[in-house]
């Protein structure tokens, strides 16, 4: 992400760019005018996901967009129908699904979001808050979370895919 300046007040002007390793030239990727954050390549590097406010309105929830960086494809909002503010997005090993995290009413939640179709919420049992999600190469999850009346702990989940 390239920002207009180093000032924290300019983070709304962040745009995704890619550098040509041969000559160092930067090329914008999406054609959007800002508000792009947290880019992540798919496992085979054919796709890129990033977060941005819905409808490019900084007051809206954050959604996850996917596009083809090689062709500067038009970003597709894959989480709009989920209608939650997304704070985590990780590619599953298949490169066709993202693990999505955000709040669902009064609880933290994780979903498997395919590139096409509806998200599937993962059963986290009594875990209410979820943060610091990490994924292994085979899709196993480790995250910190807490239950009612219990401190934050480290949780492990076999690959939910």
């Amino acid at each position: 992400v390239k920002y207009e300046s180093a000032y924290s007040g300019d983070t709304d002007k962040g745009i995704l760019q890619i550098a040509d390793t041969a000559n160092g030239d930067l090329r914008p990727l999406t054609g959007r005018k800002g508000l792009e954050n947290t880019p992540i390549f798919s496992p085979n590097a054919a796709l890129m996901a990033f977060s941005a406010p819905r409808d490019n309105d900084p007051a809206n929830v954050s959604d996850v967009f996917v596009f083809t960086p090689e062709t500067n494809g038009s970003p597709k909002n894959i989480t709009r129908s989920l209608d939650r503010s997304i704070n985590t997005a990780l590619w599953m090993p298949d490169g066709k699904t993202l693990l999505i995290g955000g709040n669902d009413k009064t609880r933290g939640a994780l979903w498997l979001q395919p590139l096409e179709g509806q998200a599937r919420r993962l059963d986290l049992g009594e875990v209410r808050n979820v943060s610091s999600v990490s994924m292994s190469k085979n899709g196993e999850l480790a995250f910190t979370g807490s239950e009612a009346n219990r401190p934050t702990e480290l949780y492990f989940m076999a690959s939910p895919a």
Side-chain angles (χ1 to χ4, degrees):
V1 178
K2 180 184 178 201
Y3 294 104
E4 190 171 289
S5 77
Y7 296 109
S8 62
D10 287 340
T11 58
D12 61 330
K13 297 177 177 100
I15 58 172
L16 297 177
Q17 296 197 14
I18 197 159
D20 184 323
T21 57
N23 60 24
D25 288 346
L26 292 175
R27 173 176 58 92
L29 289 175
T30 68
R32 293 170 52 102
K33 302 298 179 201
L35 301 168
E36 299 173 335
N37 293 292
T38 57
I40 184 169
F41 278 103
S42 62
N44 67 1
L47 298 172
M48 180 181 278
F50 68 94
S51 65
R54 180 171 297 166
D55 301 325
N56 224 30
D57 179 349
N60 268 343
V61 298
S62 292
D63 278 322
V64 174
F65 297 79
V66 174
F67 73 105
T68 308
E70 189 172 307
T71 62
N72 287 26
S74 179
K76 177 183 176 186
N77 185 339
I78 65 166
T79 57
R80 186 177 197 96
S81 65
L82 189 56
D83 200 24
R84 301 291 184 272
S85 189
I86 305 304
N87 59 31
T88 301
L90 299 171
W91 284 99
M92 295 299 292
D94 68 2
K96 299 174 186 173
T97 309
L98 284 105
L99 176 74
I100 302 295
N103 289 326
D104 190 16
K105 299 177 183 164
T106 61
R107 299 178 78 133
L110 296 173
W111 295 267
L112 288 180
Q113 174 67 63
L115 296 177
E116 301 288 336
Q118 296 295 328
R120 176 175 59 94
R121 185 174 169 165
L122 301 180
D123 182 2
L124 301 179
E126 295 300 313
V127 175
R128 296 189 165 285
N129 297 309
V130 177
S131 61
S132 303
V133 181
S134 185
M135 185 184 312
S136 72
K137 289 182 182 181
N138 64 358
E140 296 169 324
L141 303 178
F143 58 91
T144 57
S146 60
E147 300 177 20
N149 302 315
R150 297 197 60 171
T152 300
E153 297 180 288
L154 180 64
Y155 289 83
F156 171 83
M157 179 184 284
S159 179

